[in-house]
Amino acid sequence: MEKIVTTQENRIAHLECTILRQETEINNLKVEVSRFSPKIRTLEQSLNSLINILRRSKSQNPRTTDIFVQKPDIKQDYVPNSLYRRENGKDKRLLEGTSTVNTAIGFYAYLSQNEINPGLHHIIIFDVQRTNVGNGYNSFSGMFTVPQSGLYAFAVSIIMNHGYASIVIVKNNEVHGTLFVDAEHSSEYRSSSMTVLSTLVQGDVVFVRTSSTYTPHGSIISWEDGKSSFGGWLIH
């Protein structure tokens, strides 16, 4: 009987050790999941933005509406210099002077820390958002989605030390501006900036990345005394 009891106690002790080990593994997995969750959310945001770019690049231009000048007949209220638009076989009058009301739109963001050794075609995510009027900028994906059509200005400033890189501003899948930072043979920090103007339509996506053809060397610097940054605003 004593031998049976001892055997059962050994089995119970073994099961307790197994349970303890499994609990430890579960806790470790929870830590890993919590560590990767922000990265997964960032990748999901980037994927959604890239899907939007792909859809826009494949979309066809909508058919233009037939617009023509028509003289009013005596049964219509006369409006000088009015335009009539053909819609579904009916004439619709458009008054001259009608314009889209522009609202304030602008954003400014910078890197919270150095971007260590970015490679080719690497999207730079300026993760500290200071201004985001119009909510067009996404600090998780680094992408600005145009909330209203118009003429926009974008500014990028990049700091490096003991390195070099070619940086581009991209609209959807098209490069709209390029800057080059060269601090390879310097013991000092070097910076380079650019400003571009672009006519955009609602839904366009603008972001900053490294060149897809010129391999960068070194890290992009962002610290207390100098921030690598990205900003943009609606002009008209």
Side-chain angles (χ1 to χ4, degrees), residues 129-161:
Q129 173 185 291
R130 286 302 187 190
T131 303
N132 194 16
V133 179
N135 296 318
Y137 183 72
N138 188 320
S139 59
F140 292 99
S141 66
M143 298 187 179
F144 173 73
T145 302
V146 176
Q148 176 182 308
S149 301
L151 177 64
Y152 284 79
F154 295 94
V156 178
S157 181
I158 300 295
I159 304 171
M160 297 192 75
N161 184 25

Side-chain angles (χ1 to χ4, degrees), residues 117-121 160 163-166 180-181 210-218:
N117 298 321
L120 287 171
H121 209 92
M160 297 192 75
Y164 54 84
S166 176
F180 190 83
V181 188
T210 58
S211 169
S212 59
T213 57
Y214 193 98
T215 303
H217 174 74

Side-chain angles (χ1 to χ4, degrees), residues 50-65:
L50 292 174
I51 289 173
N52 186 35
I53 292 173
L54 183 60
R55 286 175 177 172
R56 290 192 58 81
S57 65
K58 290 184 177 180
S59 64
Q60 297 180 351
N61 292 327
R63 289 180 298 178
T64 57
T65 305

Side-chain angles (χ1 to χ4, degrees), residues 202-216:
Q202 185 176 5
D204 281 343
V205 178
V206 179
F207 57 95
V208 178
R209 63 166 171 80
T210 58
S211 169
S212 59
T213 57
Y214 193 98
T215 303

